[in-house]
Each structure stands twice: as structure tokens, then as C-alpha cells.
Amino acid sequence: FSRPTTAVRRRVHSFSSPSSKADETLSFLDALCDVDTGEGCPVDTTEAETVEVALDIGDGRALIPAVFELSNPGNTIETFDLDMPLGIIFEDDGSGVITVAEISESGAAARKGVQIGDKLRATSCVVQKKRADFTYWVGGVGDSGKQKALFQTDRATFPKAMAEIRSNSELDGRVVLVLERAP
């Protein structure tokens, strides 16, 4: 009993060795910038501002450090502690930047100095504490397990940023906004 044989064609691809490609890429990069000495490397001229945002985290107020790269030199970072409703209409400018589009004259934002054109950079939000952090009292009354956190809105979707702002209503109805303001 004999079986017919079939020819199998195999495709053979020729690849250069991974190390040679990596060496070529590193050589090219080294020609542009010496990371050891900094020679030939572009200077980072992006201005950044570090702020400490005061948040009530349940066990008192804490200062949360945050660094924001400014979109334009001369801009500043401002923080606002506001009661809900805020009296602000935000809009996405199409490039992922969320700005203050309208302010109600009778709202909390107008009273505290928020301005049209301010860019939303971060907001307080409510998050669930880890199980180990819960403190329950006798009788079933105790900690809700929720606390404040700072949510940076850079590269966040508009719906996500708005949801994080709204989440503050789950705890105390106070919102901390971090806004970038042009001069």
C-alpha cells in the first residue's frame, strides 16, 4: 500500500536580524542626540506648573501635588473649590481640550472667578476606597467607602471628564476644578 505524495511549498521570508535593526535605529538616534551628555538633544522648553490641590479625602484635607504642562507660556493654573450646581457649560473644542463655554451669572463658578475660555485640566472626583480602608461602626452605620481623588482630564474623553465632575454629588456636592487660564 503506497500513499501518494504531495508537494508542500513553504514560504520563506528573509528577515534581517533583530539586533542589526536595533543597532541601526540606535545609531541613527545617537547621531541626533547624545543622551549621556545632552549634546545635540532638543531642549524641553515646555513650561509646567506644579500646584497642590486641597481635597477633602474623608480623614481631613490633603494637599495633592499635580504637575501640568502649560499649553502656552504665560498661562497659569488656577484652582476653584465650588458647590454644585457649578453654573458652567463646558465644551470639547474638537482637539480634546475641554473649555468653559458659558457661565451662569448666578452660579458658584461666577462668584468664585471662573472665566469663559478657561481650560479644564483636572477635577475632583469620588472613588471607592480599597476594602482594607473601610471603617464600619457597630449597628451598620459607618463609612460609605468613598473618598475624593484628583482626575486629570488631559486626553480624557469629554463624557468621562463630565462623569468625574458629576461623581462629586455622590459625596458632598463640592467640586474642585483645576483650570488653565490664558493671560
Side-chain angles (χ1 to χ4, degrees), residues 92 96-98 120 151-164:
D92 184 349
V97 177
I98 300 169
L120 180 64
F151 176 77
Q152 291 198 358
T153 59
D154 298 343
R155 293 179 294 284
T157 64
F158 185 80
K160 175 68 174 165
M162 296 303 104
E164 297 301 337

Side-chain angles (χ1 to χ4, degrees), residues 4-182:
T5 58
T6 56
V8 176
R9 290 190 155 209
R10 293 188 180 162
R11 293 185 125 182
V12 178
H13 294 283
S14 174
F15 295 100
S16 57
S17 71
S19 63
S20 68
K21 283 287 189 195
D23 290 342
E24 287 174 22
T25 302
L26 289 175
S27 295
F28 176 71
L29 292 175
D30 286 342
L32 297 176
C33 174
D34 184 339
V35 293
D36 294 326
T37 65
E39 199 171 308
C41 297
V43 177
D44 184 6
T45 58
T46 305
E47 288 191 34
E49 189 168 331
T50 302
V51 295
E52 289 187 330
V53 181
L55 290 181
D56 184 358
I57 59 168
D59 301 332
R61 290 184 77 76
L63 294 176
I64 310 297
V67 178
F68 299 95
E69 287 187 3
L70 301 175
S71 60
N72 289 308
N75 285 5
T76 58
I77 297 293
E78 310 283 336
T79 60
F80 297 91
D81 194 340
L82 307 167
D83 289 317
M84 295 179 95
L86 303 177
I88 299 176
I89 295 179
F90 290 99
E91 72 179 4
D92 184 349
D93 73 354
S95 70
V97 177
I98 300 169
T99 59
V100 175
E102 294 179 36
I103 300 173
S104 168
E105 291 181 19
S106 60
R111 287 191 300 276
K112 295 284 184 131
V114 174
Q115 296 177 6
I116 293 174
D118 286 347
K119 296 176 184 179
L120 180 64
R121 299 301 302 273
T123 180
S124 59
C125 64
V126 175
V127 296
Q128 188 71 37
K129 289 184 194 176
K130 294 178 186 169
R131 275 255 182 245
D133 295 337
F134 278 39
T135 305
Y136 288 101
W137 298 336
V138 178
V141 179
D143 192 345
S144 69
K146 295 180 180 181
Q147 71 179 27
K148 293 277 185 150
L150 187 65
F151 176 77
Q152 291 198 358
T153 59
D154 298 343
R155 293 179 294 284
T157 64
F158 185 80
K160 175 68 174 165
M162 296 303 104
E164 297 301 337
I165 291 172
R166 281 191 304 274
S167 74
N168 289 279
S169 66
E170 297 174 24
L171 206 56
D172 61 1
R174 296 195 58 77
V175 180
V176 175
L177 296 178
V178 179
L179 303 173
E180 182 176 345
R181 178 169 292 163

